[in-house]
Amino acid sequence: MHSPRCFLSRADIFSKPGLLPWCARKPPGWSQLFLGSACKGNFTHVIAKKCQRGQKSQKKPSHLGPLDGSWQERLADVVTPLWRLSYEEQLKVKFEAQKKILQRLESYLQMLNGVSVTTAAPKSKGLCCLLHPIIPSPVIDGYRNKSTFSVNRGPDGNPKTVGYYLGTWRDGNIICVRSNQLKNMPEKHNQVAQYYEVFLRQSPLEPCLLFHEGGYWRELTVRTNSQGHTMAIITFHPQKLTQEELCVQKETVKEFFTKGPGAVCDLTSLYFQESTMTRCSHQQSPYQLLFGEPHIFEDLLGLKIRISPDAFFQINTSGAEMLYQTVGELSGVNSNTILLDICCGTGVIGLSLAQYTSQVLGIELVEQAVEDARWTAAFNGITNCEFHTGRAEKILPQLLKSKEDGQLIVAVVNPARAGLHHRVIQAIRNCRAIRTLVFVSCKPQGETTRNVVEQHRWL
């Protein structure tokens, strides 16, 4: 009927320095074919030996020594495993990793269909398709526009340490290490994390390390834009505090970041979310604005984009521009086509291509992100975009039925790491009007591979 035209990896299009997002983990129920590392070499160091069988893991490690360079290097090895290589060498490693993923995918499709995968299109050596060179990122240091910091015991045993995790919960060897030396981390993010740690250490309330053990203060999320504006979001477990007691804590943290030591961070806005779950949406527990502007804005591809606290936005802004330009080039949209933007986030892909297509239809689960997309469309004078809130597997089938008028549809999917629901795959396959599919993935060796195979199952 039709075949996917493009398969993009976000890691390839704007390759991040030191990051290799594919971990070579076997998806549930998959063939042994996909076992093994996506690239040669082990880029991480073991920070603690696993507990012997029958031996209880130590849930609360005591003093582990000062926070010296070795801890910072261990964190860098885990978070940015290619940081010791030059950027040119990193790109080579990532290119070879992508090549191996495609080779495994080809082998699996051959096993599934019992025939060789053939195409008349240009091919790369050793592949049945063309693998383009990686497009380097214009910014290779401090490029993150969003960072989420955890709170837990540091190397010195202090439970009010703000940073990133080393170790695993399973082995009970979690250590929280400050991120000061991570190359991909902006100074502003580290500064806000540092002062959040100062605040926690002067607060009489304990941090919430494990839900069943009590505690209150939890993670910190920092969002920034290219204009230097900064949004901070603090997550707090309310336990059994009264509303009056909660108001005291909110006022205390607000005072710290507006008039106290944290004022040096010069936050544009500060949010507070009461959450009793690992992750909580705005609908489940609203983000409470303690002070400042409710949104931050970003200039991208000639558009002013509005971004809410929990809305998805590509982590590398400069790289995102290159990614979206590439998506536009590969999509082939024109005035006779409809652009279907599935898992659209704040709608940037569709909005950036709206002038070239007859209509943009966006689907996104996060309500705040859809509100951002609609605001961005109105502010930029874009009138041919329509955004729908909800699960794609529920909205897409009915939406496609309403467009059965013979007009060609170009579909762009940009799902989270969990991939697309099988009903979304089926709806795309069953729609004859969709002749081009552009799949953007941050983890091509995982659920994306499953999605591609499912596309062929519906042939």
Side-chain angles (χ1 to χ4, degrees):
M1 190 165 63
H2 61 273
S3 301
R5 174 178 172 182
C6 312
F7 171 67
L8 306 180
S9 164
R10 287 199 287 262
D12 285 350
I13 294 302
F14 54 100
S15 186
K16 305 181 182 72
L19 291 184
L20 186 62
W22 43 90
C23 310
R25 294 177 181 170
K26 179 184 177 185
W30 277 72
S31 165
Q32 186 72 18
L33 177 70
F34 289 97
L35 285 176
S37 178
C39 61
K40 294 181 180 179
N42 180 14
F43 298 98
T44 61
H45 294 293
V46 178
I47 67 166
K49 292 182 179 179
K50 291 184 177 180
C51 299
Q52 298 296 323
R53 186 172 297 178
Q55 179 182 353
K56 292 184 179 179
S57 60
Q58 188 177 1
K59 297 300 181 181
K60 297 181 180 180
S62 57
H63 181 79
L64 294 173
L67 182 60
D68 55 18
S70 64
W71 285 102
Q72 295 285 357
E73 288 189 4
R74 293 177 189 182
L75 181 64
D77 286 334
V78 172
V79 178
T80 55
L82 300 183
W83 71 279
R84 299 176 187 272
L85 303 177
S86 69
Y87 189 47
E88 291 71 21
E89 290 173 317
Q90 292 178 32
L91 298 185
K92 291 178 182 178
V93 170
K94 294 179 180 183
F95 181 85
E96 289 302 316
Q98 293 296 288
K99 186 175 180 180
K100 290 181 179 180
I101 291 169
L102 289 175
Q103 288 172 336
R104 292 191 181 102
L105 177 59
E106 178 183 353
S107 298
Y108 192 83
L109 291 175
Q110 288 177 356
M111 291 171 54
L112 181 67
N113 299 324
V115 295
S116 298
V117 179
T118 59
T119 176
K123 305 176 184 178
S124 296
K125 184 178 180 181
L127 293 172
C128 67
C129 60
L130 181 62
L131 177 60
H132 292 276
I134 295 176
I135 302 174
S137 170
V139 180
I140 63 174
D141 290 322
Y143 58 79
R144 295 188 65 91
N145 55 42
K146 179 183 178 182
S147 302
T148 299
F149 300 90
S150 299
V151 178
N152 215 300
R153 290 176 179 81
D156 61 355
N158 194 318
K160 293 183 175 181
T161 300
V162 178
Y164 280 70
Y165 284 158
L166 286 177
T168 65
W169 289 105
R170 181 188 63 187
D171 294 331
N173 58 4
I174 287 291
I175 301 296
C176 194
V177 180
R178 295 169 188 155
S179 59
N180 305 59
Q181 294 184 24
L182 292 180
K183 290 187 175 181
N184 64 345
M185 189 70 63
E187 291 183 8
K188 173 60 72 173
H189 292 206
N190 283 324
Q191 181 190 45
V192 179
Q194 174 188 346
Y195 278 93
Y196 183 49
E197 182 177 285
V198 170
F199 170 78
L200 294 184
R201 294 188 176 189
Q202 70 180 36
S203 171
L205 297 187
E206 292 300 315
C208 179
L209 308 185
L210 295 170
F211 286 178
H212 67 275
E213 292 184 355
Y216 303 90
W217 298 109
R218 293 181 55 204
E219 66 187 26
L220 164 75
T221 298
V222 182
R223 305 192 78 149
T224 50
N225 63 9
S226 56
Q227 290 79 42
H229 300 156
T230 305
M231 174 189 291
I233 306 161
I234 292 174
T235 308
F236 184 90
H237 196 305
Q239 301 296 350
K240 296 182 180 180
L241 294 182
T242 65
Q243 285 301 313
E244 183 179 354
E245 291 170 326
L246 282 169
C247 286
V248 170
Q249 297 307 315
K250 286 185 279 189
E251 188 60 33
T252 300
V253 72
K254 173 184 174 181
E255 186 83 4
F256 178 87
F257 280 104
T258 54
K259 300 178 182 179
V264 70
C265 296
D266 192 25
L267 297 182
T268 308
S269 57
L270 176 64
Y271 275 95
F272 185 92
Q273 186 187 40
E274 302 165 26
S275 175
T276 59
M277 298 180 286
T278 304
R279 287 287 183 272
C280 211
S281 69
H282 177 71
Q283 285 68 38
Q284 293 168 318
S285 180
Y287 289 89
Q288 304 170 47
L289 182 63
L290 300 188
F291 74 83
E293 300 297 324
H295 309 93
I296 59 174
F297 300 87
E298 190 59 85
D299 296 323
L300 195 73
L301 298 175
L303 302 174
K304 183 175 183 178
I305 310 296
R306 193 181 84 170
I307 305 171
S308 292
D310 64 342
F312 172 76
F313 190 77
Q314 292 289 353
I315 215 75
N316 181 335
T317 304
S318 298
E321 285 196 316
M322 303 185 70
L323 171 64
Y324 297 151
Q325 287 172 348
T326 304
V327 169
E329 293 168 3
L330 294 174
S331 68
V333 294
N334 57 53
S335 58
N336 297 317
T337 59
I338 294 175
L339 177 62
L340 179 60
D341 192 357
I342 303 172
C343 307
C344 66
T346 52
V348 183
I349 292 179
L351 291 166
S352 66
L353 297 175
Q355 60 181 313
Y356 306 110
T357 188
S358 64
Q359 186 182 23
V360 173
L361 302 174
I363 303 175
E364 169 59 34
L365 176 63
V366 179
E367 185 175 339
Q368 276 194 309
V370 171
E371 292 175 359
D372 289 339
R374 291 169 178 163
W375 182 95
T376 299
F379 181 86
N380 292 279
I382 301 172
T383 58
N384 63 335
C385 292
E386 182 180 299
F387 295 99
H388 301 264
T389 306
R391 296 189 177 277
E393 61 268 25
K394 294 183 178 180
I395 295 175
L396 184 60
Q398 295 301 318
L399 186 61
L400 290 177
K401 284 184 180 180
S402 68
K403 299 298 178 181
E404 292 179 345
D405 56 1
Q407 192 171 8
L408 292 180
I409 299 175
V410 173
V412 176
V413 295
N414 186 8
R417 295 194 176 196
L420 294 173
H421 193 279
H422 68 89
R423 291 178 184 170
V424 175
I425 299 292
Q426 185 175 6
I428 292 173
R429 289 299 312 172
N430 290 341
C431 181
R432 294 183 177 274
I434 299 178
R435 308 299 300 179
T436 300
L437 171 63
V438 181
F439 199 123
V440 183
S441 174
C442 63
K443 191 178 180 183
Q445 93 291 0
E447 293 302 302
T448 298
T449 303
R450 174 183 62 81
N451 289 158
V452 173
V453 172
E454 285 180 344
Q455 282 280 355
H456 286 76
R457 286 185 187 276
W458 294 106
L459 284 170

